[in-house]
Amino acid sequence: MNKNKLEHIAIILDGNKRWAKKNNQSNLNGYTKGFENIKNFVSYCLFKKISNLTIFALSSENFNRSSINIIYQIIYDNFSKTLDDLVNEKGVKIKIFGSKKNLPQKILEIFKNIEESSLNNKNLNLNIAFNYGFKNEIKNIFKNIINNEGNIKFDNDKDIDNLFFLGSIPDPDILIRTGGHKRLSNFIMYNLTYTELFFTETLWPDFSEKEFNLIINQYYNIDRKYG
């Protein structure tokens, strides 16, 4: 029997465009394949009875890349139906966090609708970082502290946690990054203090349940230290 709890997994989805190039596919097909794999991964987590999943879908640094229009198109074409399946069929609660600035109104409406329709679901909390960067999150926290001076108890851990997008849910036990790069890329740094890090060369659209299980088994064999 393993001694390590596993209630929160974070994942950086990397390698969609490289997968497309490797397989002689368009970038649209690469991102579409990656989007489909998000649904697969959610199913893996539900089967494992994991309570929280946080995925890095789009960084604020990548927001101005030409591929952003492809991502918008995939959201327009697939997001509502795919996530609606997760909400209605599998009881997933969805929270989308990051900057809303400069996002198209249609995207904002899709995000708002999916969050509201999943509000009472309890099988899995799916947190999606979209147009997100940790440094921007810190800047916003500083602004909130200034605007709410006197209302935050700095010796209260819960008050501090609630300043951040992920709030008081448990920190990730595991972070997985696909695509070969070994860096955190400005992702939820406050919440990764004691998270176990796993990096894989596998490009995100090819990341499978088999590899996921291998990572989980490695995690269960870690003698976790704090301090």
Side-chain angles (χ1 to χ4, degrees):
M1 179 108 180
N2 69 76
K3 63 181 178 180
N4 292 333
K5 63 180 175 61
L6 182 55
E7 53 186 344
H8 189 175
I9 292 177
I11 185 163
I12 299 174
L13 317 177
D14 198 7
N16 293 309
K17 289 204 295 185
R18 282 177 285 155
W19 181 91
K21 183 177 181 180
K22 176 183 174 183
N23 291 278
N24 296 315
Q25 300 281 326
S26 67
N27 285 341
L28 176 60
N29 287 344
Y31 279 106
T32 300
K33 182 75 171 177
F35 187 81
E36 291 170 354
N37 207 28
I38 292 174
K39 187 175 179 180
N40 295 335
F41 195 76
V42 171
S43 295
Y44 305 157
C45 290
L46 285 166
F47 181 75
K48 295 287 186 182
K49 299 189 183 305
I50 292 163
S51 301
N52 303 284
L53 172 61
T54 300
I55 64 176
F56 202 3
L58 178 69
S59 73
S60 53
E61 287 85 356
N62 290 340
F63 181 73
N64 292 318
R65 289 187 180 181
S66 58
S67 55
I68 186 64
N69 290 324
I70 295 175
I71 294 171
Y72 286 158
Q73 190 60 50
I74 291 170
I75 293 173
Y76 295 148
D77 293 344
N78 301 294
F79 193 87
S80 292
K81 181 184 185 309
T82 297
L83 293 189
D84 190 56
D85 291 342
L86 296 178
V87 169
N88 293 325
E89 294 179 13
K90 298 186 176 179
V92 175
K93 180 179 180 179
I94 296 173
K95 174 181 179 179
I96 301 165
F97 64 94
S99 175
K100 302 294 193 295
K101 185 178 179 182
N102 297 324
L103 292 182
Q105 185 61 36
K106 186 175 179 180
I107 295 289
L108 293 174
E109 289 174 2
I110 290 172
F111 287 175
K112 182 174 182 288
N113 289 338
I114 207 75
E115 286 183 319
E116 289 180 351
S117 64
S118 69
L119 191 60
N120 295 319
N121 288 350
K122 301 182 184 303
N123 289 344
L124 170 72
N125 296 316
L126 173 58
N127 309 295
I128 302 174
F130 191 90
N131 193 21
Y132 169 84
F134 178 70
K135 290 183 179 179
N136 287 338
E137 182 176 13
I138 290 295
K139 290 177 185 177
N140 289 331
I141 287 171
F142 286 157
K143 291 177 183 177
N144 290 337
I145 290 173
I146 292 170
N147 292 334
N148 294 282
E149 186 174 358
N151 295 327
I152 300 168
K153 298 176 182 177
F154 290 99
D155 57 350
N156 186 311
D157 289 344
K158 187 174 181 180
D159 276 8
I160 299 300
D161 289 345
N162 285 333
L163 292 171
F164 292 82
F165 283 125
L166 291 183
S168 58
I169 70 172
D171 288 340
D173 303 296
I174 291 175
L175 169 77
I176 301 168
R177 179 170 186 152
T178 63
H181 296 307
K182 297 181 179 179
R183 57 176 181 259
L184 299 179
S185 295
N186 201 17
F187 182 48
I188 58 170
M189 302 286 286
Y190 175 79
N191 306 92
L192 300 178
T193 311
Y194 286 105
T195 300
E196 304 295 338
L197 308 180
F198 293 87
F199 301 98
T200 174
E201 297 291 327
T202 304
L203 303 176
W204 168 245
D206 286 332
F207 189 79
S208 65
E209 184 176 13
K210 180 179 179 181
E211 187 168 6
F212 181 43
N213 286 330
L214 288 172
I215 288 173
I216 288 177
N217 289 336
Q218 290 180 56
Y219 166 75
Y220 283 146
N221 288 317
I222 293 173
D223 183 15
R224 300 191 77 186
K225 304 291 185 181
Y226 300 89

